[in-house]
Amino acid sequence: MKLRRCTTVMFEPREEVSLGLQAILAGRAEVTTKTTWLALAAHLDQAVPVSVAQRELLGALSSRQWTESSDMVATQADQDALLEAGLLISDSDEHAAHRQRDEGMRDGHWWPLAALVHRHARWSGVNSAAQMRDSTMLTAKDLRRQLGAPPPVVQPHPGTYQPLPAVNATGYDQLLERRATCRNFDVARSIDQAQLAQLLQRTVMAQAVVQVEADTAFLKKNVPSGGGLHPTETYLLVQRVEGLAPGLYHYHPVQHALVTLPRHCDRPLQDVAEAMLSGQDWFSNAAAHLVLVPRFARTNWKYRNHAKAYRALLLDVGHLSQALYMAATEAGLAAFVTAAINEIDTEAVFALDGVTQSPVAIVGVGWRSDTLDTAEFDPNKVVWP
């Protein structure tokens, strides 16, 4: 059997601080620390505790060149533990799953630090709303009371600021002012299929296809994208859209069409949405949720092992979310965007592998409720006069 180290791994010394029980019983406060070495790999969802010997073994191996297991200076127990964890990659069928995931990350041309950030910042089963309620950190005053004062809203520089002329507002300024995150959706009202179609047409639909070669094309959309690559796919969870059955969909930006996706569980769609949205129940009842899912290989094809590729990809999602906000507002609809999502759970809903594709944010649209049950940020009283 041949072995190699996984493609991308970082070692973190994590320190745990505790009070000695015996000292406390004796009336003394003695702090003890324990350091554990953790390996964070780009193809694994969890950090793996490793011994010093295992850490040194991984550091001595190549991620590209295979080594016969019999030639390794390591105990069989260490080899087996690292193989089971996926930190050692084997050419055997028994460990094919770890090898395929590792090769998927390697062939995606990730910059190593970005690959680690992507992998280990993903959530599963997190209920951020419950955490906010349990810690009483729901309002701005709650945050101020528990965290102290934030940095100032502006950091002025020395000197005299020259005032700029006030320009008369236009209809676009009024549209911008009406753009406010919705936390109160009307659960009894559906949106028209034409409204959803217009929303997609204005934001994620390809306005033109530029065919460079038979196998190489670029899309022109109404939003900018790093390198003109437009790597972000749009998946939908539809609850109340006239003419569309409630369910899961994928949007084709060239055909301007939706295809139904299979559901892998029989839970109510609002429960599925709430799980994806890490418990943010004020968002889960939107008429339609648009899940923004980059295909990393599309960006990394051009920006190979590039330190800015992941940043450009995240900016793409930001451009899309603002475009969707504005298009929804112009149509009279309400919208939200959040990055506080359970990526791993969302991947399971849409059968995404988390290696080649993974969600970054979710945008929801629908009709705003007539009642303000959950606070919304509307300081100028434009939405809620």
Side-chain angles (χ1 to χ4, degrees):
M1 180 172 62
K2 294 181 179 180
L3 303 173
R4 63 172 175 83
R5 172 175 52 81
C6 61
T7 301
T8 301
V9 63
M10 179 187 78
F11 298 101
E12 177 193 354
R14 192 170 296 178
E15 192 174 78
E16 297 179 8
V17 180
S18 61
L19 293 174
L21 178 59
Q22 294 300 322
I24 292 174
L25 295 176
R28 304 189 309 275
E30 294 182 0
V31 175
T32 61
T33 62
K34 176 184 177 183
T35 299
T36 301
W37 280 95
L38 297 174
L40 294 90
H43 68 297
L44 300 178
D45 289 332
Q46 303 295 330
V48 180
V50 293
S51 67
V52 173
Q54 292 170 344
R55 184 195 70 202
E56 295 304 310
L57 168 60
L58 290 167
L61 290 174
S62 169
S63 64
R64 297 281 182 176
Q65 302 296 323
W66 293 98
T67 300
E68 290 287 350
S69 61
S70 57
D71 294 339
M72 293 175 55
V73 182
T75 66
Q76 191 62 48
D78 281 341
Q79 285 191 38
D80 292 343
L82 294 174
L83 274 169
E84 182 67 24
L87 296 169
L88 271 183
I89 303 300
S90 161
D91 64 351
S92 71
D93 293 339
E94 181 182 357
H95 305 104
H98 282 313
R99 184 175 66 252
Q100 290 166 1
R101 289 182 69 83
D102 180 71
E103 289 174 349
M105 294 300 293
R106 179 197 66 195
D107 296 342
H109 306 295
W110 282 85
W111 187 53
L113 291 180
L116 289 169
V117 168
H118 160 66
R119 174 60 54 184
H120 292 279
R122 291 154 64 245
W123 286 356
S124 176
V126 173
N127 190 324
S128 61
Q131 291 174 356
M132 290 167 61
R133 293 183 175 112
D134 292 344
S135 58
T136 319
M137 296 181 72
L138 288 170
T139 68
K141 289 186 176 181
D142 293 338
L143 294 173
R144 171 60 181 83
R145 183 177 60 253
Q146 298 204 38
L147 304 179
V153 293
V154 177
Q155 181 177 317
H157 286 257
T160 301
Y161 282 82
Q162 177 181 340
L164 294 171
V167 180
N168 292 333
T170 68
Y172 186 67
D173 296 286
Q174 296 170 358
L175 177 63
L176 287 168
E177 199 172 24
R178 294 205 313 273
R179 189 212 63 76
T181 296
C182 179
R183 291 187 168 197
N184 300 272
F185 287 98
D186 188 340
V187 298
R189 192 176 180 188
S190 300
I191 65 174
D192 295 334
Q193 187 177 144
Q195 289 176 310
L196 179 63
Q198 183 186 60
L199 185 71
L200 296 170
Q201 180 175 314
R202 289 178 166 180
T203 55
V204 294
M205 190 186 87
Q207 305 298 316
V209 179
V210 179
Q211 201 75 41
V212 179
E213 300 284 353
D215 60 356
T216 305
F218 292 85
L219 303 180
K220 172 67 174 72
K221 296 187 179 182
N222 289 336
V223 292
S225 177
L229 295 165
H230 290 291
T232 304
E233 301 283 330
T234 306
Y235 291 82
L236 293 92
L237 185 152
V238 170
Q239 297 192 101
R240 298 182 306 281
V241 177
E242 293 179 6
L244 285 179
L248 308 177
Y249 295 86
H250 175 256
Y251 175 72
H252 196 300
V254 177
Q255 298 178 7
H256 186 49
L258 295 171
V259 65
T260 304
L261 301 177
R263 290 184 60 183
H264 303 286
C265 70
D266 56 3
R267 287 186 299 165
L269 283 171
Q270 185 168 333
D271 291 350
V272 174
E274 188 168 326
M276 295 195 306
L277 293 161
S278 70
Q280 297 178 89
D281 50 345
W282 48 81
F283 290 150
S284 63
N285 56 11
H289 294 88
L290 285 67
V291 185
L292 303 178
V293 180
R295 286 184 297 130
F296 305 113
R298 177 76 180 173
T299 292
N300 292 344
W301 164 79
K302 177 179 180 180
Y303 302 112
R304 302 190 175 203
N305 303 300
H306 198 294
K308 304 300 182 184
Y310 193 58
R311 182 179 298 187
L313 188 146
L314 297 179
L315 285 171
D316 281 6
V317 173
H319 296 318
L320 284 169
S321 66
Q322 174 65 355
L324 287 163
Y325 253 122
M326 296 301 289
T329 303
E330 196 276 339
L333 299 173
F336 75 84
V337 63
T338 181
I341 64 174
N342 281 317
E343 293 92 341
I344 295 174
D345 301 312
T346 306
E347 289 162 2
V349 169
F350 291 100
L352 306 170
D353 61 12
V355 173
T356 61
Q357 297 183 79
S358 184
V360 167
I362 296 177
V363 175
V365 296
W367 293 106
R368 187 176 256 105
S369 173
D370 292 332
T371 58
L372 183 65
D373 297 317
T374 303
E376 294 183 7
F377 192 63
D378 180 34
N380 291 332
K381 306 297 182 184
V382 175
V383 177
W384 297 96

